[in-house]
Amino acid sequence: MAQRVNFRHNSSHTIAHRNMDALLKLSRLIDVLNEKFGLIANWLVLIACVISAGNALMRYSFNLSSNAWLEIQWYLFGGMVLLGASYTLKMNEHVRVDVFYSRYSERTRLWLDLAGGILFLLPMSIIIGWLSWPLFINSYHIGEVSGNSGGLLRWPVKILIPLGFLLLTL
């Protein structure tokens, strides 16, 4: 009988161990995913700077400009923010406005981060991600284009909203 109880105990311990391993693998996968999108966001900064400089050069040197060049800059900015937010959170580099936060102990800050993430960040990310999906779908189906002359398609930037909030939720 003792062996049987012991076997059950070892069996449940093994299942718990496998579950924990699976969760750790998922966590590492999410971290890698966020790092990849963080790298993309970093490259978008450089691309936006090059486009901005090139647009200014063309406008002031040759009196040539296009709304598309202006719009692509804000698309890239949207990508920087939405794709980089989850990586910024992962690296704990996000801006804090709480002047008291730095005065708290490390343990208190960790509890505040956990509570803030669960009570505020997670619900907000899920709600915004969920509500933005139909906006993207509608924009894609109607082929929404900017109202500006020479403007760009809108759906490519609108997909960044649910994607960015999905990454933040993860």
Side-chain angles (χ1 to χ4, degrees):
M1 180 107 168
Q3 288 178 343
R4 190 175 194 184
V5 171
N6 217 2
F7 175 75
R8 286 183 180 166
H9 175 69
N10 288 340
S11 176
S12 65
H13 179 70
T14 304
I15 292 170
H17 191 328
R18 273 190 253 138
N19 289 340
M20 184 57 72
D21 284 346
L23 289 172
L24 288 171
K25 285 179 183 177
L26 177 63
S27 177
R28 285 190 288 273
L29 177 67
I30 291 169
D31 284 347
V32 167
L33 186 66
N34 281 323
E35 287 173 9
K36 299 284 186 201
F37 278 102
L39 183 62
I40 291 169
N42 284 338
W43 279 103
L44 294 179
V45 174
L46 177 64
I47 295 167
C49 288
V50 169
I51 288 174
S52 179
N55 191 32
L57 178 70
M58 295 301 288
R59 185 173 58 242
Y60 292 116
S61 298
F62 304 104
N63 202 25
L64 296 172
S65 187
S66 166
N67 286 329
W69 289 111
L70 296 172
E71 287 184 13
I72 195 69
Q73 290 175 57
W74 70 262
Y75 280 30
L76 292 169
F77 179 74
M80 287 176 230
V81 172
L82 291 163
L83 300 179
S86 57
Y87 179 72
T88 302
L89 182 65
K90 175 194 177 302
M91 300 305 293
N92 202 24
E93 295 291 326
H94 51 289
V95 176
R96 287 195 167 75
V97 293
D98 187 351
V99 293
F100 302 109
Y101 188 84
S102 62
R103 297 180 188 172
Y104 296 143
S105 69
E106 181 67 20
R107 184 178 175 95
T108 302
R109 288 193 298 250
L110 290 172
W111 277 109
L112 281 172
D113 287 344
L114 180 64
I118 292 171
L119 296 174
F120 300 107
L121 180 63
L122 189 58
M124 182 265 324
S125 295
I126 292 169
I127 290 168
I128 293 174
W130 181 264
L131 293 176
S132 65
W133 183 252
L135 297 174
F136 155 69
I137 294 294
N138 184 52
S139 179
Y140 179 79
H141 283 298
I142 66 171
E144 183 181 8
V145 178
S146 167
N148 296 321
S149 174
L152 302 175
L153 285 171
R154 289 283 168 102
W155 69 262
V157 75
K158 287 188 177 184
I159 188 67
L160 294 175
I161 301 168
L163 177 60
F165 282 97
L166 172 66
L167 292 169
L168 204 52
T169 299
L170 293 175

